[in-house]
Amino acid sequence: VMNGGQNEASKVGIASSGIVADTGLDDRSFNCRTRGNISEDVAVIVSAFRSPHDLLDRYKIDVNVLTSFLYSIGTQYRDNKYHNWLHAFDVFQFCYLLLYNGAASDFVTYQDLLVIHLASICHDVGHPGVNNPFLINTSSSTALMYNDKSPLENLHASLTFQTLRQEGMNFLENLPRHDFQKIRTKIIDVILATDMVHHFSLVEKLGVRLSELSDKPLIVDTKEDRDKMKTSQQDRRILIQALVHMADLGNACRPWEVYRNLV
């Protein structure tokens, strides 16, 4: 997988060096079943790291290393009926839609954008095709490894960073250690929050916060203002978790002709 990812990087890197036309990233009618070629899909994903905000330049990310990482993640998705690479791309696209068409990006930082992009595409990597209760009730090795606490989501987060540690895959290697650790913590938090056992508590937290908007509006324009970054930290934590969780369920927001073939 590692060598394959590096070989693909040379091809995908060229493809993603400019604007990728007709990506469908801003289309609510997006149909993930039209995708599936990992190399082509990765080129589209990389384009989202460049536009509308150039996260590659901001975080000194080598496009070929990022491409190798994403390609490796893509190949680690199993051929499941639902929790497969197409689903990962679907969730990534829905997050992009929420951020840039829905203006959710106004409330988050550049680092949060990077986290959302990465967590959404990695959130189900290595999914075995069965759910957490099955893993727990059968005393599977995954459930035993994670002590029955969100075994799938812990697996996905772990595989994400195991892949990052492989030779030629660490596109975050130029970051200061403190920044890397913050990104790692956020990605883990977001992936763990996709476990449906947290659904109602997350909805409750979000509902309580939204009920306070008249007296305490959400802070916007946090990207360049450190004081706003600090003040909005808790709100942003809830928001980025909610965005990826919503996108994970977002196929229900697709037009019927798309949705009916996804589930």
Side-chain angles (χ1 to χ4, degrees):
V1 170
M2 182 186 71
N3 291 333
Q6 291 173 334
N7 291 336
E8 289 300 321
S10 61
K11 295 186 289 185
V12 178
I14 294 172
S16 61
S17 60
I19 297 174
V20 179
D22 301 323
T23 61
L25 289 179
D26 60 353
D27 182 7
R28 191 177 70 84
S29 301
F30 174 80
N31 185 354
C32 67
R33 289 182 178 270
T34 65
R35 310 301 309 186
N37 181 305
I38 296 177
S39 297
E40 294 177 359
D41 295 344
V42 165
V44 173
I45 294 167
V46 170
S47 75
F49 282 78
R50 280 199 164 108
S51 177
H53 302 292
D54 192 346
L55 300 176
L56 302 186
D57 181 67
R58 178 169 293 274
Y59 292 104
K60 299 179 175 60
I61 295 173
D62 185 314
V63 64
N64 290 322
V65 179
L66 174 63
T67 296
S68 295
F69 170 83
L70 293 171
Y71 185 83
S72 179
I73 289 293
T75 61
Q76 291 178 71
Y77 273 88
R78 302 188 190 183
D79 189 23
N80 298 321
K81 293 290 186 180
Y82 184 78
H83 293 102
N84 51 38
W85 171 250
L86 297 182
H87 169 66
F89 197 103
D90 192 53
V91 174
F92 176 86
Q93 188 272 344
F94 204 91
C95 281
Y96 188 94
L97 198 67
L98 293 172
L99 287 168
Y100 302 117
N101 286 42
S105 65
D106 293 348
F107 304 97
V108 299
T109 65
Y110 292 118
Q111 187 181 92
D112 294 333
L113 293 176
L114 181 65
V115 167
I116 291 168
H117 288 340
L118 293 171
S120 61
I121 205 64
C122 296
H123 82 282
D124 271 337
V125 63
H127 199 295
V130 296
N131 60 19
N132 279 331
F134 180 88
L135 294 177
I136 293 168
N137 291 334
T138 58
S139 298
S140 72
S141 59
T142 303
L144 294 176
M145 172 71 73
Y146 299 111
N147 300 312
D148 297 346
K149 304 296 184 184
S150 301
L152 283 174
E153 291 71 26
N154 273 295
L155 171 66
H156 306 322
S158 179
L159 284 176
T160 297
F161 287 97
Q162 288 181 46
T163 302
L164 193 70
R165 289 185 63 184
Q166 292 182 16
E167 183 180 354
M169 301 287 181
N170 188 2
F171 60 91
L172 298 175
E173 63 184 350
N174 294 320
L175 291 180
R177 180 66 190 176
H178 174 71
D179 291 346
F180 171 79
Q181 194 59 47
K182 285 180 66 176
I183 290 170
R184 170 173 158 79
T185 298
K186 287 182 180 181
I187 290 174
I188 293 171
D189 281 350
V190 170
I191 293 178
L192 291 182
T194 63
D195 187 346
M196 284 299 296
V197 300
H198 304 306
H199 172 79
F200 292 106
S201 62
L202 182 56
V203 169
E204 182 180 4
K205 287 179 186 177
L206 191 61
V208 169
R209 182 62 185 90
L210 292 176
S211 71
E212 301 170 345
L213 286 182
S214 58
D215 297 323
K216 187 181 177 184
L218 292 173
I219 298 173
V220 296
D221 302 325
T222 60
K223 294 179 179 60
E224 306 290 352
D225 189 317
R226 290 194 173 275
D227 289 336
K228 288 185 176 181
M229 289 181 193
K230 185 175 181 179
T231 305
S232 65
Q233 185 173 0
Q234 186 57 37
D235 283 346
R236 289 186 292 104
R237 183 172 186 265
I238 295 172
L239 184 58
I240 63 176
Q241 290 178 358
L243 285 172
V244 177
H245 179 52
M246 179 181 176
D248 199 15
L249 306 173
N251 55 29
C253 299
R254 306 292 188 187
W256 172 247
E257 288 304 313
V258 174
Y259 173 71
R260 66 193 292 265
N261 293 311
L262 294 180
V263 293

